Amino acid sequence: MTDASLFYTGLGLDRATERRRDAGWISSLLSAQGARVVPIWRTQNLMSEGESGPRAGFLSVADAIALGASPSDMALLGNGADGPVFAYDVSAVEDPAAVPALASAGRFSDLRGFGPLLPRPEATLLAYARGLAWWHSRHLFCGVCGAPTVSADAGHVRHCTRESCGTHHFPRTDPAVIMLVHDGDRALLGRQSRFPPGMYSTLAGFVEPGESLEEAVAREVREEAGVEVGEIRYVASQPWPFPSSVMLGFTAKALTTELRVDPEELEDARWFTRDEILSSEGDGSFRLPRPDSIARFLVEGWLRSGG
């Protein structure tokens, strides 16, 4: 069960999956009072400045149409109490700051930088829009025959336009396991060279074809750190559309503790006690993963567990 405290979960909208093919209904949503559009520009989201910090930026449907959007260009994210919400990719615009409708609504920025500062429902909405827009941008042509594809089902399917092919392409989400490995008193954390200075995180990796989630956990820990694990337990999941993953969180009990770090995977890996983490976090020598990540959620859960 997904934990409500995880960032990028809890959309709060009806995705209306069963009505996405109803063109008349979609048209009525586009003209509904309160309909809003989440614009995405080259994987960046629109951010406005509120009195208490950043907020999600939106366009009206009229503004999106003025920018060149047709109904088929706008993907339905969902319908809620405040009205329907759509996503629209404005990447064809060379300079958003030079377009009044966009410039007056905010500025574009990487969601990974300001997402943790947003109200969580807004962060979830922007992440969803970003992931869907990225998928569309990577599937403009059929992977089977190479013909152009067109958006359908309110932006949740792309159809191959070649009659002899006609393949339907659906948004892709790549499953990745992420795990807090512990021996009871210590947690195993590693760092990659691309991490900020001092940051250590939980181990993670993608699930391979023909592999169960538990097998992927054990394999990734063995490959990256040389540790064998057991008592693999599912904790929670988190969408991570940066660009197209879902993180499946686990805890695992270490059966061995000697580290054999794969230098191609990790720059370093260490065992940390709770006291080491709590006493050094914030002093510059050590930092936990980013606060909107399931890695941070897993570490903090282990710190609270006390054993």
Side-chain angles (χ1 to χ4, degrees):
M1 179 177 179
T2 300
D3 192 288
S5 67
L6 280 166
F7 274 84
Y8 310 121
T9 63
L11 179 63
L13 295 176
D14 177 7
R15 293 176 180 253
T17 307
E18 73 285 357
R19 302 201 67 179
R20 290 173 183 163
R21 295 183 181 179
D22 187 337
W25 183 71
I26 296 298
S27 180
S28 71
L29 291 186
L30 285 167
S31 60
Q33 185 175 4
R36 296 174 295 166
V37 177
V38 177
I40 305 95
W41 181 76
R42 302 178 187 181
T43 75
Q44 297 184 11
N45 290 96
L46 188 64
M47 176 185 72
S48 65
E49 294 292 347
E51 293 182 1
S52 58
R55 298 296 301 267
F58 298 94
L59 299 177
S60 67
V61 172
D63 283 338
I65 291 174
L67 289 171
S70 67
S72 63
D73 293 327
M74 290 184 276
L76 177 65
L77 300 179
N79 195 18
D82 296 328
V85 186
F86 293 82
Y88 175 51
D89 192 338
V90 298
S91 295
V93 173
E94 190 61 34
D95 181 10
V99 179
L102 295 172
S104 63
R107 62 182 177 86
F108 285 95
S109 185
D110 190 333
L111 181 60
R112 287 170 291 189
F114 71 94
L117 305 176
L118 292 174
R120 295 197 182 189
E122 291 188 7
T124 301
L125 186 65
L126 295 195
Y128 177 17
R130 183 191 191 280
L132 195 57
W134 187 90
W135 172 75
H136 276 284
S137 73
R138 295 301 189 274
H139 291 79
L140 299 176
F141 297 91
C142 178
V144 177
C145 73
T149 62
V150 294
S151 177
D153 290 18
H156 291 264
V157 178
R158 293 195 70 87
H159 288 173
C160 175
T161 56
R162 179 169 290 164
E163 186 174 353
S164 61
C165 179
T167 300
H168 294 182
H169 300 275
F170 297 88
R172 171 179 169 177
T173 298
D174 299 319
V177 292
I178 183 165
M179 39 277 174
L180 188 289
V181 178
H182 66 93
D183 65 0
D185 298 322
R186 301 179 301 170
L188 174 60
L189 303 178
R191 64 169 281 108
Q192 298 178 1
S193 58
R194 62 180 177 83
F195 286 0
M199 193 187 100
Y200 280 75
S201 185
T202 52
L203 306 187
F206 286 103
V207 181
E208 296 188 349
E211 185 175 50
S212 72
L213 301 180
E214 292 80 3
E215 288 170 334
V217 168
R219 175 184 55 78
E220 286 289 346
V221 177
R222 183 185 310 113
E223 289 177 354
E224 294 188 1
V227 171
E228 300 293 333
V229 297
E231 297 183 29
I232 299 170
R233 296 175 180 173
Y234 172 76
V235 178
S237 65
Q238 181 187 40
W240 195 254
F242 302 107
S244 58
S245 300
V246 58
M247 306 301 295
L248 304 160
F250 292 82
T251 60
K253 182 72 176 291
L255 302 178
T256 62
T257 58
E258 180 183 355
L259 299 180
R260 298 188 304 278
V261 177
D262 180 352
E264 294 188 4
E265 295 284 347
L266 298 173
E267 182 180 79
D268 186 30
R270 290 172 48 195
W271 290 101
F272 292 87
T273 66
R274 289 179 176 82
D275 286 343
E276 286 175 322
I277 293 175
L278 294 171
S279 62
S280 59
E281 214 281 318
D283 69 3
S285 65
F286 172 85
R287 68 170 72 179
L288 289 172
R290 48 187 297 152
D292 59 340
S293 67
I294 191 172
R296 178 70 163 260
F297 177 84
L298 292 171
V299 173
E300 290 181 344
W302 176 76
L303 289 173
R304 289 192 302 268
S305 70

